[in-house]
Amino acid sequence: MNFNPRYHRQVILPEIGTSGQEKLNAAKVLVIGAGGLGCPVLQYLTAAGIGTIGIIDFDTVDISNLHRQILYGNSSLGMNKSLAAKHRLEDLNPDITINAYPEKLTTKNAVSLFSEYDIIVDGTDNFSTRYLVNDACVIAKKPLVYGAIFKFEGQVSVFNYQEGPTYRCLFPEPPNAGSVPSCSEIGVLGVLPGIIGSMQANETLKIILHLGNILNGILFTYDCLTAQSSSFSIPRVESEVSKVIANAKNFETTDYDVFCGISKISEIDARDAFEMNNILFIDVREPHEQPKIDNLNPDYVPLGQLQQYINKIDKEQEIIVFCQSGIRSKKAVEILLEHDFKNVSHVKGGAMALYEFQTIKEV
């Protein structure tokens, strides 16, 4: 290949050389989610010269993303993340191909999309999508580079690689719905997804270059407060892999939200919430959580106290529940429905969506 000074520092490594750079240039990697994990993955893979990178993300850039999603700035606010990331990455390295997919990953498009790439990198933050991604990788026979974060801790592994274990071998069943909050619900130190995402990029490069000890069948965990790490072996469970293969014909009709215990409940947009009258709004966040949405005059009832508060609520009243981003509010609606409340819904996107629209109205 022709000399390119862009890659000189890695090409002079004898373990890589020009032949290794050619492997990187020929590789095709799909990154699912251009958020806290996806941003460092994308940045380092782009800089390394991965020939074709795909980015799928239907979400838009919000100001609350900027403390950890390092590809974006104020000029990106409101833009689709996959398109904003593509714009930034093409400036970082114009010599590669970057495909943006500003859409949601579903059972309808996953397998066909995965088939176009060599490696899949999971930067998602919810269990239903993780199981969907795992199953699509098994069906499409693609290795999966996995990463996840929780507050100050993160984990990384490589699944479905060279007959190794899959995500379902580690987690055969999802946790109870709402029992593991996302970072938008519980928070995260901004540098943690940078650390874990960089490790995912590292595993991706090792797979392409056939270097080092790949985390195949190994779960690596890291605590950024103690700087301690641990590694655990993951056995391949053939019965779990066989379930996915056996269900391949029904994959497109599988409802992963139902599998993860996420019920289909009524939700409304933040914009509509401010236009409604005679509504009882209930904020189920903890007292310290911001921003407050005082314009709706909500009752403040933390989710853990909702059961004790139920007898004080008029069952004939129309009720709209909200939390920080829409996770706990779904659980709150389920609780109310179990107690025979009929006219209950929750706010899509939670208090963050309400605050954004409230700010626009005030301007």
Side-chain angles (χ1 to χ4, degrees), residues 253-360:
T253 58
T254 301
D255 191 324
Y256 284 86
D257 283 347
V258 171
F259 172 71
C260 291
I262 302 172
S263 62
K264 305 295 185 182
I265 62 177
S266 174
E267 63 181 17
I268 65 166
D269 290 330
R271 175 185 297 271
D272 296 332
F274 287 96
E275 307 298 328
M276 303 177 76
N277 298 313
N278 301 317
I279 303 294
L280 171 61
F281 288 94
I282 301 178
D283 183 345
V284 296
R285 296 176 296 166
E286 297 299 317
H288 68 273
E289 293 186 72
Q290 299 289 336
K292 298 300 182 186
I293 314 297
D294 294 328
N295 287 6
L296 295 178
N297 193 30
D299 286 1
Y300 293 97
V301 187
L303 181 60
Q305 301 174 22
L306 184 59
Q307 294 275 12
Q308 292 75 36
Y309 188 80
I310 279 177
N311 291 334
K312 299 180 181 180
I313 306 175
D314 181 2
K315 288 188 176 181
E316 302 302 319
Q317 173 77 56
E318 183 174 356
I319 300 167
I320 296 177
V321 185
F322 66 91
C323 60
Q324 192 71 356
S325 65
I327 305 297
R328 283 169 289 174
S329 57
K330 288 183 178 180
K331 181 63 178 177
V333 171
E334 289 177 353
I335 292 172
L336 292 170
L337 293 174
E338 288 171 359
H339 286 77
D340 298 324
F341 286 79
K342 304 299 183 184
N343 201 353
V344 187
S345 56
H346 85 119
V347 178
K348 181 180 180 181
M352 295 306 296
L354 288 168
Y355 179 75
E356 182 178 354
F357 184 69
Q358 175 181 279
T359 302
I360 293 173

Side-chain angles (χ1 to χ4, degrees), residues 42-327:
L42 289 163
Q43 191 164 21
Y44 279 110
L45 295 185
T46 297
I50 299 298
T52 303
I53 296 176
I55 314 166
I56 181 167
D57 198 318
F58 70 97
D59 198 9
T60 56
V61 181
D62 181 82
I63 195 168
S64 66
N65 302 148
L66 300 186
H67 99 293
R68 66 196 182 282
Q69 298 182 17
I70 55 176
L71 289 178
Y72 314 123
N74 283 335
S75 62
S76 305
L77 295 178
M79 292 180 62
N80 170 267
K81 288 182 180 178
S82 70
L83 296 175
K86 174 181 169 71
H87 176 73
R88 171 69 186 95
L89 296 171
E90 286 179 336
D91 180 58
L92 175 62
N93 189 348
D95 298 334
I96 66 173
T97 299
I98 299 176
N99 301 319
Y101 305 96
E103 60 192 84
K104 187 172 183 178
L105 186 75
T106 69
T107 56
K108 299 292 192 292
N109 61 14
V111 173
S112 60
L113 183 59
F114 288 13
S115 298
E116 298 176 16
Y117 292 86
D118 305 317
I119 300 172
I120 311 302
V121 182
D122 184 2
T124 62
D125 64 354
N126 66 86
F127 289 98
S128 58
T129 307
R130 285 174 185 158
Y131 281 98
L132 187 160
V133 169
N134 173 81
D135 294 358
C137 282
V138 172
I139 294 168
K141 298 180 180 180
K142 302 294 180 179
L144 171 61
V145 180
Y146 160 79
I149 54 175
F150 182 78
K151 295 179 69 174
F152 301 102
E153 300 178 6
Q155 53 187 222
V156 184
S157 190
V158 174
F159 295 120
N160 204 43
Y161 178 67
Q162 294 185 344
E163 301 301 317
T166 70
Y167 181 74
R168 285 181 181 267
C169 298
L170 178 62
F171 300 114
E173 299 292 335
N176 293 330
S179 63
V180 182
S182 66
C183 69
S184 61
E185 293 284 330
I186 202 168
V188 64
L189 188 64
V191 296
L192 178 62
I195 295 168
I196 300 302
S198 296
M199 294 191 67
Q200 288 181 273
N202 186 50
E203 291 303 305
T204 304
L205 295 174
K206 284 160 60 181
I207 292 171
I208 296 167
L209 295 168
H210 305 291
L211 284 179
N213 298 318
I214 294 165
L215 291 175
N216 181 24
I218 301 293
L219 181 69
F220 176 90
T221 67
Y222 176 74
D223 185 324
C224 69
L225 293 185
T226 63
Q228 291 184 332
S229 62
S230 302
S231 296
F232 305 90
S233 295
I234 308 168
R236 179 178 168 94
V237 182
E238 291 297 339
S239 59
E240 291 299 326
V241 180
S242 297
K243 286 180 187 176
V244 176
I245 296 173
N247 190 56
K249 291 182 179 180
N250 301 317
F251 174 74
E252 289 194 5
T253 58
T254 301
D255 191 324
Y256 284 86
D257 283 347
V258 171
F259 172 71
C260 291
I262 302 172
S263 62
K264 305 295 185 182
I265 62 177
S266 174
E267 63 181 17
I268 65 166
D269 290 330
R271 175 185 297 271
D272 296 332
F274 287 96
E275 307 298 328
M276 303 177 76
N277 298 313
N278 301 317
I279 303 294
L280 171 61
F281 288 94
I282 301 178
D283 183 345
V284 296
R285 296 176 296 166
E286 297 299 317
H288 68 273
E289 293 186 72
Q290 299 289 336
K292 298 300 182 186
I293 314 297
D294 294 328
N295 287 6
L296 295 178
N297 193 30
D299 286 1
Y300 293 97
V301 187
L303 181 60
Q305 301 174 22
L306 184 59
Q307 294 275 12
Q308 292 75 36
Y309 188 80
I310 279 177
N311 291 334
K312 299 180 181 180
I313 306 175
D314 181 2
K315 288 188 176 181
E316 302 302 319
Q317 173 77 56
E318 183 174 356
I319 300 167
I320 296 177
V321 185
F322 66 91
C323 60
Q324 192 71 356
S325 65
I327 305 297

